[in-house]
Amino acid sequence: MDTLTREARAARAQQRKAARLKTCTHCWAEPEEPCKPGPGGRSNTHRARVEFASRDQAPLPAQEVIARDAAWIYQPLNVSDPASPILGVRQSIFRTLFRDTDEMGALTVVALGQYDPECSMVNNPVVMMTASMFLGLTEDERETAITRLLARGFLNVAGPRVVQTNSDVARVFDVSEMNPAFMAEWAAAKKSVPEPMI
């Protein structure tokens, strides 16, 4: 009886191991990176892999028509420095990529890298969080995001395995390039925001 119990336990352990290593038919997880969907498929890891798999197998997006309007979304790279360079993303592009966080992160990382490969001055949590959406990806996922941005016309090839942002889409501005009246208005608006209560 004791021997049968040990064998049964060993069999169940083997079944559990096999289940953990089973390739997921929804997100194509590799056996070395077992997929763990969790109850109801609510695992963040599983969901992210499903989203990537569907994007990776989807047709490339068509080249976008870039509206050259004056509407940009700005984020200073260093929130404590009034003279900090400013990341700008055209508002229409932000709306296009709002749900494509991999591509939005890639666009941010490429723009930052063009200005400062070390990104040493960046402490803006919004910019850092957006960049992390790309930096946390696997190599295959990064390549897919870059390929899709190239297809959209948001990035340009600048050399072997080198890409740059389309300057009409996103780039880092020096403060000297910005409209002084706009910068003064922006500074006043930031001062009017009350300090958070901790």
Side-chain angles (χ1 to χ4, degrees):
M1 184 68 176
D2 187 50
T3 302
L4 290 175
T5 301
R6 285 199 299 270
E7 290 176 351
R9 288 176 178 172
R12 283 198 294 269
Q14 195 65 29
Q15 288 172 351
R16 287 195 297 270
K17 182 179 179 181
R20 287 197 303 271
L21 297 180
K22 184 179 179 181
T23 299
C24 177
T25 57
H26 296 289
C27 69
W28 293 276
E30 295 295 331
E32 293 79 9
E33 296 180 344
C35 174
K36 299 177 183 178
R42 291 190 292 272
S43 163
N44 287 336
T45 301
H46 175 75
R47 185 167 61 246
R49 282 174 170 164
V50 170
E51 290 172 355
F52 166 70
S54 63
R55 278 198 304 273
D56 189 46
Q57 302 206 6
L60 288 175
Q63 184 162 354
E64 304 272 349
V65 176
I66 300 168
R68 292 174 173 80
D69 51 31
W72 288 74
I73 295 175
Y74 296 112
Q75 287 287 346
L77 302 189
N78 187 323
V79 294
S80 56
D81 181 5
S84 167
I86 296 167
L87 173 66
V89 178
R90 200 173 288 276
Q91 193 174 78
S92 58
I93 305 304
F94 179 84
R95 288 172 178 162
T96 298
L97 298 181
F98 181 73
R99 295 186 181 277
D100 293 308
T101 55
D102 294 3
E103 294 178 55
M104 189 70 237
L107 188 66
T108 299
V109 169
V110 173
L112 294 175
Q114 279 177 233
Y115 187 83
D116 175 16
E118 299 297 324
C119 298
S120 53
M121 81 289 287
V122 180
N123 71 358
N124 184 328
V126 174
V127 175
M128 294 169 69
M129 182 180 69
T130 306
S132 72
M133 295 174 181
F134 176 74
L135 297 175
L137 300 175
T138 66
E139 186 175 344
D140 286 346
E141 290 168 338
R142 291 185 186 187
E143 187 172 339
T144 295
I146 294 295
T147 300
R148 291 176 67 81
L149 287 174
L150 286 167
R152 293 184 192 274
F154 296 171
L155 294 181
N156 299 318
V157 176
R161 298 192 65 81
V162 178
V163 293
Q164 293 182 342
T165 62
N166 180 331
S167 59
D168 287 324
V169 169
R171 72 184 188 92
V172 175
F173 295 86
D174 283 313
V175 173
S176 60
E177 299 179 78
M178 305 297 290
N179 184 310
F182 170 77
M183 293 302 294
E185 186 178 332
W186 191 14
K190 286 190 288 187
K191 287 181 180 180
S192 68
V193 177
E195 290 290 332
M197 297 180 65
I198 300 176

